[in-house]
Amino acid sequence: MRYLEDVVLKKWSAAVLAGALAVGALAGCGGGDDAGSSGGGGDDKITMGFSQVGAESGWRTANTKSIQESAAAAGIDLKFSDAQGKQENQIKAIRSFIAQRVDVIAFSPVVESGWDTVLKEAKDANIPVILTDRSVDSQDKTLYKTFIGSDFVLEGKKAGEWLVKEYEGKSDPVNIVELQGTPGAAPANDRKAGFAEVIKADPKFKIVASQTGQFTRTDGKEVMEAFLKSQPKIDVLYAHNDDMGLGAIEAIEAAGKKPGTDIKIITVDAVKDGMTALAAGKINYIVECSPLLGPQLMDLAKKVKAGETVEQRVLTQETTFTQEQAKTALPDRKY
Ligand code: AHR
């Protein structure tokens, strides 16, 4: 039955291929992207359409590299599309992948909401979807096969737990400023929630300002400059990723303060630049979020294509780093 469906759908794919090329062009997938190029699914080689968030951070660059290298190593034909931070670009790219009849669609959703319609289109076309890195808030879990990535709430909790320990036995108020990730993105929502849940147990912790820094260094710097002007006393910065923390460090130093000493800094990711700042004492603690999802993603794609059952949730293994641990880990840090 599944075979017959595939035959019918592949015949249909030849008919829509020309249309797919046009859709791909509309999707803004040029400039090195591959979402608009020729369709897959015609032979044994698996074709994967992947829609990436963008290139907002060191984490994202490492994630893209991991996916591209792993696809090549696994013999998977990867159609890669960069959404440049826009959900509408991702939706167009996914529709283009559907029209091209790729074997598997994988994507890292820019934001959590608003995916049901396009995911239903993929399901109706019989193309399995693998959520990568970030999840969606769809109630219907049959719209995707699996979700591989981190537990962002846990990451936020780990950041909060370090802070609670750091100020154990002290009673003075602790003023915290928070640099949030992209509004509506799962890691921004969840890292905020996890952190807040842990620190709420002690009223001395107060988030005095919280604003998005869009997961970028530039915005992290700009927003921190504004925090430094508007807040008379900042004890701690909690940044949802290394890049925003690194931008904030520039702002703190420009304001004549010592990052890591005058203002304690907690970030998430543990990319090489973040780890370097941690080892140098400019960051106090980093919660790891691994971008190296490529090999597992390719394994999952092969299983899904072969009709094997896969776990609905594949969790990434991660750790945390103190300044001392960063010094040890840094020489071997790959990204
Ligand atoms: O979704 C993962 C997050 O997205 C990373 O922590 C951040 O750096 C990235 O941009």
Side-chain angles (χ1 to χ4, degrees):
M1 185 60 192
R2 172 67 213 249
Y3 171 76
L4 274 176
E5 279 173 24
D6 277 355
V7 170
V8 171
L9 285 166
K10 274 173 185 157
K11 281 193 173 161
W12 173 79
S13 80
V16 296
L17 188 54
L21 292 169
V23 174
L26 273 176
C29 299
D33 290 337
D34 215 1
S37 64
S38 68
D43 50 34
D44 283 349
K45 195 166 187 183
I46 297 176
T47 302
M48 172 188 282
F50 187 88
S51 171
Q52 181 61 288
V53 170
E56 72 283 5
S57 62
W59 189 101
R60 190 63 56 197
T61 306
N63 180 246
T64 293
K65 192 164 174 264
S66 169
I67 287 162
Q68 289 174 332
E69 287 178 356
S70 309
I76 289 180
D77 180 14
L78 183 70
K79 314 238 162 256
F80 184 88
S81 174
D82 180 338
Q84 295 172 359
K86 295 199 175 97
Q87 181 176 34
E88 64 262 34
N89 287 348
Q90 288 201 302
I91 292 174
K92 281 179 195 162
I94 292 168
R95 290 202 166 121
S96 167
F97 294 146
I98 295 171
Q100 291 175 69
R101 291 296 309 149
V102 299
D103 297 303
V104 182
I105 292 171
F107 76 114
S108 177
V110 175
V111 290
E112 277 191 290
S113 305
W115 298 103
D116 286 23
T117 305
V118 74
L119 288 179
K120 179 130 195 339
E121 288 167 26
K123 189 180 174 189
D124 290 346
N126 239 332
I127 301 177
V129 172
I130 301 177
L131 301 178
T132 310
D133 158 41
R134 300 178 178 181
S135 190
V136 297
D137 64 4
S138 304
Q139 293 309 303
D140 182 357
K141 306 289 176 215
T142 70
L143 292 177
Y144 54 91
K145 288 284 174 201
T146 181
F147 162 38
I148 172 177
S150 312
D151 181 338
F152 297 133
V153 176
L154 184 64
E155 289 173 352
K157 283 185 181 169
K158 287 179 187 172
E161 279 156 12
W162 179 83
L163 191 65
V164 168
K165 229 168 160 206
E166 182 70 9
Y167 284 90
E168 208 168 22
K170 296 182 182 144
S171 55
D172 287 348
V174 179
N175 286 357
I176 304 162
V177 294
E178 180 180 34
L179 283 169
Q180 298 177 37
T182 315
N189 295 340
D190 294 354
R191 286 174 188 164
K192 182 171 183 50
F195 182 76
E197 196 185 317
V198 171
I199 63 163
K200 78 170 183 221
D202 189 336
K204 73 172 177 254
F205 295 113
K206 199 167 169 234
I207 299 181
V208 291
S210 179
Q211 215 175 296
T212 180
Q214 302 287 0
F215 278 132
T216 69
R217 224 176 261 217
T218 320
D219 287 47
K221 183 179 178 191
E222 233 172 68
V223 178
M224 191 67 203
E225 279 165 359
F227 285 164
L228 286 161
K229 281 184 192 140
S230 64
Q231 298 302 321
K233 179 178 171 276
I234 299 173
D235 301 302
V236 174
L237 162 67
Y238 169 45
H240 291 188
N241 80 345
D242 287 347
D243 278 82
M244 292 189 295
L246 292 163
I249 286 172
E250 290 177 33
I252 294 168
E253 285 175 336
K257 291 182 190 289
K258 220 176 157 201
T261 307
D262 297 332
I263 297 177
K264 293 194 195 241
I265 302 177
I266 314 165
T267 64
V268 185
D269 275 356
V271 295
K272 211 169 196 161
D273 286 356
M275 293 286 275
T276 305
L278 180 62
K282 295 186 179 193
I283 294 179
N284 301 78
Y285 192 66
I286 300 185
V287 178
E288 187 185 38
C289 176
S290 175
L292 306 180
L293 305 178
Q296 273 178 298
L297 173 62
M298 300 310 148
D299 281 355
L300 285 168
K302 284 183 179 172
K303 285 185 180 153
V304 161
K305 170 75 163 85
E308 289 175 36
T309 311
V310 293
E311 296 287 325
Q312 258 266 324
R313 178 75 168 98
V314 180
L315 252 181
T316 315
Q317 295 302 312
E318 286 153 346
T319 183
T320 55
F321 294 97
T322 60
Q323 293 173 338
E324 284 313 308
Q325 288 165 333
K327 283 178 199 158
T328 313
L330 202 48
D332 298 324
R333 206 69 186 158
K334 296 273 180 300
Y335 54 90

